[in-house]
Amino acid sequence: MKKLMLGAALAALAAGAASAEDVTLQLKWVTQAQFAGYYVAKEKGFYDEEGLDVTILPGGPDISPTQVMAGGGADVTVDWLPSALAAREKGLALVNIAQPFKSSGMMLTCLKETGITGPEDFKGKTLGVWFGGNEYPFLSWMAHLGIPTTGGADGVEVLKQGFNVDPLLQKQAACISTMTYNEYWQVIDAGLTPEDLVTFKYEDEGVATLEDGLYVMEDKLSDPTFEEKMVKFVRASMKGWKYAEANPDEAAMIVLENDETGAQTETHQKRMMGEVAKLTAGSNGALDPADFDRTVKTLLAGGSDPVISAEPVGAWTHVITDKALQ
């Protein structure tokens, strides 16, 4: 009898696994606490509860999430709104189905010894800037300050920054682009102290743009089955994010367990999760129209020309979030 019961249980489990819907998520960057909510949702069984079998694909310097989407390599991707705007402008019709990050973590980190105490001191300095769509908040900020980005005593020299903090450590630049949860701490870990630095958060300067959101191909949403699958995915993912906010150390350890490279450390991931929780706080997953408008305004002020900026925010969002929040 016990064998029959065990066999029935195993058969039921197999049937459940067989009926689970597959979802592939492409991350914007490598496995780290920036994406803790998704790893937590997977580890704590939130995706299982929705009948989903989720595969999480790490990103990296040689991986373009939008290109992966265009090639059909993922169902959903994590990306920043400026990048998604640029993709739509080029014909890749991405649409936002959720916005877990409410605030921006981008900032400019400067060496205090350069004499920079405020934005007015940028003139005549070299500043490291990320490109690939990430330059527009910076360009908007400089335009607002009336500081040319073409060099000279009254302008700034823009250094196209890679994905490291070397330009600051090697004093090739007075300031570099950093995230509150990542590169800033790399600078600290390299031996500098907070007292050695001056930081300017884009959020505080009024030029922040929306960062990590969830995007899918717009045409796929015409399929009711796919739409419902994304409703389940968003619901479980936001549950994962809220759990991560409330349990940051546990979330960081879950991320570490999923880091196949072994490159991450417990100290850095716990620190990162603490900072990321500040950025997801206040978000229920819905894209705030005011945040969308602010992002587009910043991009246009910075010299971007997103032709879809004329579209209302409704063209960028989907009923998925509303359904997931019911």
Side-chain angles (χ1 to χ4, degrees):
M1 177 63 72
K2 289 183 178 179
K3 289 184 178 180
L4 288 174
M5 292 176 64
L6 178 60
L10 291 173
L13 287 172
S19 62
E21 297 178 280
D22 292 330
V23 175
T24 300
L25 168 66
Q26 174 64 61
L27 302 182
K28 184 174 177 63
W29 195 242
V30 299
T31 300
Q32 57 183 22
Q34 178 184 358
F35 311 108
Y38 311 112
Y39 288 110
V40 167
K42 187 174 177 69
E43 177 68 23
K44 305 301 283 189
F46 300 155
Y47 290 135
D48 292 338
E49 293 170 2
E50 296 285 354
L52 302 177
D53 182 9
V54 176
T55 298
I56 303 176
L57 303 178
D62 300 320
I63 297 175
S64 168
T66 52
Q67 289 181 5
V68 172
M69 290 290 286
D75 298 300
V76 57
T77 186
V78 178
D79 207 353
W80 290 9
L81 181 53
S83 176
L85 280 161
R88 266 185 86 98
E89 188 176 347
K90 295 175 182 176
L92 186 65
L94 294 177
V95 64
N96 182 297
I97 60 168
Q99 187 59 48
F101 276 45
K102 176 68 174 176
S103 304
S104 167
M106 183 179 282
M107 61 183 182
L108 208 60
T109 295
C110 310
L111 287 171
K112 185 178 292 185
E113 67 182 47
T114 62
I116 292 176
T117 59
E120 65 278 2
D121 299 319
F122 291 155
K123 294 179 180 179
K125 303 292 194 303
T126 297
L127 309 181
V129 180
W130 287 321
F131 278 71
N134 299 331
E135 72 272 25
Y136 294 118
F138 170 81
L139 295 175
S140 176
W141 186 15
M142 293 302 106
H144 176 73
L145 294 172
I147 299 178
T149 56
T150 52
D154 294 326
V156 296
E157 188 74 35
V158 175
L159 173 67
K160 190 173 183 179
Q161 184 183 332
F163 297 103
N164 57 60
V165 297
D166 291 347
L168 193 74
L169 300 179
Q170 297 171 6
K171 300 184 179 180
Q172 298 169 342
C175 311
I176 60 170
S177 299
T178 61
M179 301 303 292
T180 56
Y181 53 78
N182 197 5
E183 290 79 11
Y184 172 80
W185 296 104
Q186 291 177 18
V187 173
I188 298 299
D189 289 340
L192 294 175
T193 68
E195 292 71 30
D196 296 324
L197 306 169
V198 178
T199 59
F200 302 91
K201 294 183 178 180
Y202 281 55
E203 194 76 46
D204 295 340
E205 300 298 331
V207 291
T209 56
L210 282 173
E211 294 168 359
D212 296 39
L214 292 173
Y215 295 85
V216 301
M217 297 296 294
E218 189 172 22
D219 59 352
K220 295 185 71 172
L221 292 171
S222 61
D223 178 358
T225 300
F226 181 81
E227 178 186 318
E228 182 57 30
K229 184 165 65 172
M230 289 299 101
V231 168
K232 296 175 182 177
F233 178 75
V234 167
R235 185 161 51 220
S237 295
M238 290 309 301
K239 188 174 180 180
W241 272 117
K242 295 309 158 183
Y243 187 96
E245 281 180 27
N247 304 274
D249 285 353
E250 181 185 353
M253 295 308 294
I254 289 174
V255 170
L256 277 175
E257 291 168 5
N258 285 274
D259 174 31
E260 297 181 357
T261 68
Q264 305 294 357
T265 66
E266 180 177 340
T267 298
H268 188 54
Q269 290 309 300
K270 285 185 175 180
R271 205 163 46 188
M272 183 183 293
M273 186 61 237
E275 292 298 325
V276 166
K278 299 174 184 177
L279 306 182
T280 58
S283 172
N284 63 0
L287 174 60
D288 187 331
D291 292 340
F292 172 85
D293 291 341
R294 180 191 65 182
T295 294
V296 171
K297 181 179 179 181
T298 296
L299 294 176
L300 292 173
S304 175
D305 186 24
V307 294
I308 55 81
S309 63
E311 293 180 326
V313 67
W316 266 93
T317 57
H318 198 268
V319 293
I320 282 176
T321 308
D322 292 338
K323 290 183 178 179
L325 294 175
Q326 290 177 355

